[in-house]
Short mmCIF file of all heavy atoms in Angstrom, two decimals:
data_model
loop_
_atom_site.label_atom_id
_atom_site.label_comp_id
_atom_site.label_asym_id
_atom_site.label_seq_id
_atom_site.Cartn_x
_atom_site.Cartn_y
_atom_site.Cartn_z
N ASN A 1 -71.16 150.81 79.31
CA ASN A 1 -70.64 152.07 79.85
C ASN A 1 -69.42 151.77 80.72
O ASN A 1 -69.00 150.62 80.85
CB ASN A 1 -71.72 152.82 80.64
CG ASN A 1 -72.34 151.97 81.73
OD1 ASN A 1 -71.67 151.12 82.33
ND2 ASN A 1 -73.63 152.18 82.00
N GLN A 2 -68.87 152.80 81.33
CA GLN A 2 -67.67 152.63 82.15
C GLN A 2 -67.94 151.74 83.37
O GLN A 2 -67.10 150.91 83.71
CB GLN A 2 -67.14 154.00 82.61
CG GLN A 2 -65.86 153.88 83.41
CD GLN A 2 -65.31 155.23 83.85
OE1 GLN A 2 -65.92 156.27 83.62
NE2 GLN A 2 -64.16 155.21 84.49
N HIS A 3 -69.08 151.89 83.99
CA HIS A 3 -69.42 151.06 85.16
C HIS A 3 -69.46 149.58 84.77
O HIS A 3 -68.92 148.73 85.48
CB HIS A 3 -70.76 151.50 85.74
CG HIS A 3 -71.22 150.66 86.90
ND1 HIS A 3 -70.63 150.73 88.14
CD2 HIS A 3 -72.18 149.71 86.98
CE1 HIS A 3 -71.22 149.86 88.94
NE2 HIS A 3 -72.17 149.23 88.27
N HIS A 4 -70.07 149.27 83.64
CA HIS A 4 -70.14 147.89 83.16
C HIS A 4 -68.75 147.36 82.83
O HIS A 4 -68.41 146.22 83.15
CB HIS A 4 -71.06 147.82 81.94
CG HIS A 4 -71.27 146.44 81.43
ND1 HIS A 4 -71.06 146.10 80.12
CD2 HIS A 4 -71.66 145.30 82.06
CE1 HIS A 4 -71.30 144.81 79.96
NE2 HIS A 4 -71.67 144.31 81.12
N LEU A 5 -67.91 148.18 82.21
CA LEU A 5 -66.54 147.77 81.89
C LEU A 5 -65.75 147.45 83.16
O LEU A 5 -65.09 146.41 83.24
CB LEU A 5 -65.82 148.87 81.10
CG LEU A 5 -64.34 148.63 80.83
CD1 LEU A 5 -64.13 147.42 79.95
CD2 LEU A 5 -63.70 149.87 80.21
N LEU A 6 -65.82 148.33 84.15
CA LEU A 6 -65.08 148.10 85.40
C LEU A 6 -65.58 146.84 86.11
O LEU A 6 -64.78 146.08 86.66
CB LEU A 6 -65.18 149.32 86.31
CG LEU A 6 -64.50 150.58 85.78
CD1 LEU A 6 -64.75 151.76 86.71
CD2 LEU A 6 -63.01 150.35 85.57
N HIS A 7 -66.89 146.61 86.12
CA HIS A 7 -67.45 145.41 86.73
C HIS A 7 -66.93 144.15 86.02
O HIS A 7 -66.49 143.20 86.66
CB HIS A 7 -68.97 145.44 86.69
CG HIS A 7 -69.61 144.16 87.08
ND1 HIS A 7 -69.62 143.69 88.38
CD2 HIS A 7 -70.23 143.20 86.34
CE1 HIS A 7 -70.23 142.51 88.42
NE2 HIS A 7 -70.60 142.20 87.18
N ALA A 8 -66.97 144.16 84.68
CA ALA A 8 -66.51 143.01 83.91
C ALA A 8 -65.02 142.75 84.14
O ALA A 8 -64.59 141.60 84.30
CB ALA A 8 -66.79 143.22 82.43
N LEU A 9 -64.22 143.80 84.18
CA LEU A 9 -62.78 143.64 84.40
C LEU A 9 -62.49 143.11 85.80
O LEU A 9 -61.60 142.26 85.98
CB LEU A 9 -62.05 144.95 84.15
CG LEU A 9 -62.00 145.41 82.70
CD1 LEU A 9 -61.37 146.80 82.60
CD2 LEU A 9 -61.24 144.41 81.84
N ARG A 10 -63.24 143.58 86.81
CA ARG A 10 -63.04 143.07 88.18
C ARG A 10 -63.39 141.59 88.27
O ARG A 10 -62.68 140.80 88.87
CB ARG A 10 -63.89 143.86 89.18
CG ARG A 10 -63.16 145.03 89.77
CD ARG A 10 -63.97 145.66 90.92
NE ARG A 10 -64.34 147.00 90.49
CZ ARG A 10 -65.56 147.39 90.13
NH1 ARG A 10 -66.58 146.57 90.21
NH2 ARG A 10 -65.79 148.60 89.73
N GLU A 11 -64.52 141.20 87.67
CA GLU A 11 -64.93 139.80 87.67
C GLU A 11 -63.89 138.93 86.96
O GLU A 11 -63.55 137.85 87.43
CB GLU A 11 -66.29 139.63 86.98
CG GLU A 11 -67.45 140.03 87.80
CD GLU A 11 -67.77 139.00 88.88
OE1 GLU A 11 -67.72 137.78 88.60
OE2 GLU A 11 -68.08 139.42 90.00
N PHE A 12 -63.39 139.39 85.82
CA PHE A 12 -62.41 138.63 85.06
C PHE A 12 -61.11 138.50 85.84
O PHE A 12 -60.51 137.43 85.89
CB PHE A 12 -62.13 139.26 83.70
CG PHE A 12 -61.20 138.44 82.87
CD1 PHE A 12 -61.68 137.34 82.18
CD2 PHE A 12 -59.86 138.74 82.79
CE1 PHE A 12 -60.82 136.55 81.42
CE2 PHE A 12 -59.00 137.98 82.04
CZ PHE A 12 -59.48 136.87 81.35
N GLU A 13 -60.68 139.58 86.48
CA GLU A 13 -59.44 139.53 87.27
C GLU A 13 -59.57 138.52 88.41
O GLU A 13 -58.67 137.71 88.64
CB GLU A 13 -59.12 140.91 87.83
CG GLU A 13 -57.90 140.92 88.72
CD GLU A 13 -57.68 142.24 89.41
OE1 GLU A 13 -58.64 143.02 89.57
OE2 GLU A 13 -56.54 142.47 89.83
N GLN A 14 -60.70 138.53 89.11
CA GLN A 14 -60.90 137.60 90.22
C GLN A 14 -60.94 136.16 89.69
O GLN A 14 -60.34 135.27 90.27
CB GLN A 14 -62.20 137.95 90.96
CG GLN A 14 -62.34 137.33 92.31
CD GLN A 14 -62.87 135.91 92.27
OE1 GLN A 14 -63.62 135.54 91.38
NE2 GLN A 14 -62.46 135.11 93.22
N PHE A 15 -61.63 135.93 88.60
CA PHE A 15 -61.70 134.61 87.99
C PHE A 15 -60.32 134.15 87.53
O PHE A 15 -59.90 133.03 87.78
CB PHE A 15 -62.66 134.66 86.80
CG PHE A 15 -62.68 133.41 85.97
CD1 PHE A 15 -63.38 132.29 86.40
CD2 PHE A 15 -62.01 133.35 84.76
CE1 PHE A 15 -63.40 131.13 85.63
CE2 PHE A 15 -62.03 132.20 83.99
CZ PHE A 15 -62.73 131.09 84.43
N TYR A 16 -59.58 135.03 86.88
CA TYR A 16 -58.29 134.68 86.30
C TYR A 16 -57.27 134.35 87.38
O TYR A 16 -56.49 133.40 87.24
CB TYR A 16 -57.77 135.84 85.44
CG TYR A 16 -56.54 135.49 84.65
CD1 TYR A 16 -56.64 134.85 83.42
CD2 TYR A 16 -55.28 135.81 85.12
CE1 TYR A 16 -55.52 134.53 82.69
CE2 TYR A 16 -54.15 135.49 84.40
CZ TYR A 16 -54.28 134.85 83.17
OH TYR A 16 -53.17 134.53 82.46
N THR A 17 -57.25 135.10 88.47
CA THR A 17 -56.23 134.88 89.50
C THR A 17 -56.63 133.87 90.56
O THR A 17 -55.77 133.29 91.22
CB THR A 17 -55.85 136.20 90.20
OG1 THR A 17 -57.02 136.75 90.80
CG2 THR A 17 -55.25 137.17 89.22
N ALA A 18 -57.93 133.62 90.75
CA ALA A 18 -58.36 132.75 91.84
C ALA A 18 -58.91 131.41 91.38
O ALA A 18 -58.84 130.43 92.12
CB ALA A 18 -59.41 133.44 92.70
N HIS A 19 -59.46 131.32 90.19
CA HIS A 19 -60.12 130.07 89.82
C HIS A 19 -59.58 129.43 88.55
O HIS A 19 -59.43 128.22 88.49
CB HIS A 19 -61.63 130.29 89.65
CG HIS A 19 -62.34 129.02 89.33
ND1 HIS A 19 -62.65 128.10 90.31
CD2 HIS A 19 -62.76 128.48 88.18
CE1 HIS A 19 -63.24 127.06 89.74
NE2 HIS A 19 -63.32 127.27 88.45
N ARG A 20 -59.31 130.19 87.54
CA ARG A 20 -58.96 129.68 86.22
C ARG A 20 -57.76 128.73 86.29
O ARG A 20 -56.74 129.05 86.86
CB ARG A 20 -58.62 130.85 85.30
CG ARG A 20 -58.24 130.45 83.91
CD ARG A 20 -57.91 131.71 83.12
NE ARG A 20 -57.47 131.40 81.80
CZ ARG A 20 -56.19 131.22 81.46
NH1 ARG A 20 -55.25 131.32 82.37
NH2 ARG A 20 -55.86 130.94 80.23
N PRO A 21 -57.87 127.54 85.67
CA PRO A 21 -56.71 126.66 85.62
C PRO A 21 -55.66 127.23 84.67
O PRO A 21 -55.98 127.70 83.59
CB PRO A 21 -57.27 125.34 85.08
CG PRO A 21 -58.54 125.70 84.41
CD PRO A 21 -59.05 126.95 85.06
N HIS A 22 -54.44 127.21 85.09
CA HIS A 22 -53.34 127.76 84.31
C HIS A 22 -52.49 126.64 83.74
O HIS A 22 -52.43 125.55 84.28
CB HIS A 22 -52.48 128.69 85.17
CG HIS A 22 -53.20 129.94 85.53
ND1 HIS A 22 -53.08 131.09 84.80
CD2 HIS A 22 -54.09 130.23 86.51
CE1 HIS A 22 -53.83 132.02 85.33
NE2 HIS A 22 -54.46 131.53 86.36
N GLN A 23 -51.84 126.92 82.65
CA GLN A 23 -50.97 125.94 82.00
C GLN A 23 -49.59 125.96 82.65
O GLN A 23 -48.60 126.28 82.01
CB GLN A 23 -50.90 126.23 80.50
CG GLN A 23 -52.23 126.13 79.80
CD GLN A 23 -52.83 124.74 79.91
OE1 GLN A 23 -52.17 123.75 79.68
NE2 GLN A 23 -54.09 124.67 80.30
N GLY A 24 -49.54 125.65 83.89
CA GLY A 24 -48.28 125.58 84.62
C GLY A 24 -48.09 124.17 85.13
O GLY A 24 -48.58 123.20 84.55
N ILE A 25 -47.40 124.03 86.22
CA ILE A 25 -47.17 122.72 86.82
C ILE A 25 -48.51 122.16 87.29
O ILE A 25 -49.15 122.71 88.17
CB ILE A 25 -46.18 122.83 87.99
CG1 ILE A 25 -44.85 123.36 87.48
CG2 ILE A 25 -46.00 121.48 88.68
CD1 ILE A 25 -43.88 123.69 88.58
#
């Protein structure tokens, strides 16, 4: 449902910007 989608997107955003290793320097 929409609540589950928003929760998943928030978790992914936090993971992507704060923890995930990026292919940069």
